[in-house]
Amino acid sequence: MAEKKNKIGFTLKKITTEQFAIIESSYKEGSTINLDAGLKFGINFDNNIISVRFSTSLIQENSPFLILEIGCHFNIIKEAWESFYNDSKTNLIVPKGFIGHLVMLTIGTTRGVLHSKTENTPFNDFLLPTLNVNELVKEDVAFKVESAK
């Protein structure tokens, strides 16, 4: 008998550009460029939505010259959403593998937004490098369930 795979159904509901800026005066041709990146997670309990926000900055001499933050908002099917609750329904726990997949999709979306926003500018030469999602997401992500008042 074939083993049943654990699948989590979801759809990408919305993409938001939370921040975008090019600070041309902070860019110096030939200087070393550093990359800063961060993740934030959000949740909408009423609509079964998990939001992943990925931010990145390209920095020279402690000054960012390109700033980008993109949000991807994923609608999770009801059965999967319900399976994320712990036994006491005090936490919604999103498995590491699944949240990592959502992060990977969000980073890919960020690459596309970066290309689109910088197209036909000198800043289009800057690409977001591949990132190891396993280093960004090391464990399940838990959200505290707010009790009804």
Side-chain angles (χ1 to χ4, degrees), residues 3 9 26-27 31 42 47 60 67 73 85 90 92 106 118 123:
E3 186 178 319
S26 293
Y27 176 67
S31 291
N47 296 305
Q60 287 181 320
I67 301 167
H73 311 275
Y85 282 107
T90 55
L92 189 99
T106 303
T118 62
F123 296 93

Side-chain angles (χ1 to χ4, degrees), residues 35 37 54 107 111 128-134 136:
L35 176 82
F54 178 75
I107 292 171
R111 281 191 186 92
L128 189 57
T130 57
L131 300 170
N132 184 345
V133 173
N134 290 326
L136 296 173

Side-chain angles (χ1 to χ4, degrees), residues 2-82:
E3 186 178 319
K4 185 180 175 187
K5 298 248 182 211
N6 217 1
K7 293 185 180 182
I8 300 172
F10 69 96
T11 57
L12 176 59
K13 190 77 171 162
K14 185 176 182 182
I15 299 168
T16 54
T17 302
E18 304 293 334
Q19 287 189 73
F20 177 77
I22 296 174
I23 306 163
E24 292 185 43
S25 60
S26 293
Y27 176 67
K28 296 175 182 46
E29 180 91 32
S31 291
T32 301
I33 298 171
N34 294 308
L35 176 82
D36 186 32
L39 276 175
K40 293 179 187 172
F41 301 106
I43 196 139
N44 179 318
F45 286 102
D46 295 331
N47 296 305
N48 301 355
I49 292 176
I50 296 173
S51 298
V52 178
R53 287 174 43 177
F54 178 75
S55 60
T56 188
S57 299
L58 297 178
I59 303 166
Q60 287 181 320
E61 299 172 7
N62 296 320
S63 293
F65 66 89
L66 200 152
I67 301 167
L68 182 59
E69 183 175 0
I70 299 299
C72 286
H73 311 275
F74 301 93
N75 185 248
I76 312 302
I77 65 166
K78 185 176 174 74
E79 295 79 18
W81 185 268
E82 293 297 324

Side-chain angles (χ1 to χ4, degrees), residues 101-113:
H101 182 65
L102 299 183
V103 168
M104 185 174 60
L105 292 171
T106 303
I107 292 171
T109 300
T110 302
R111 281 191 186 92
V113 172

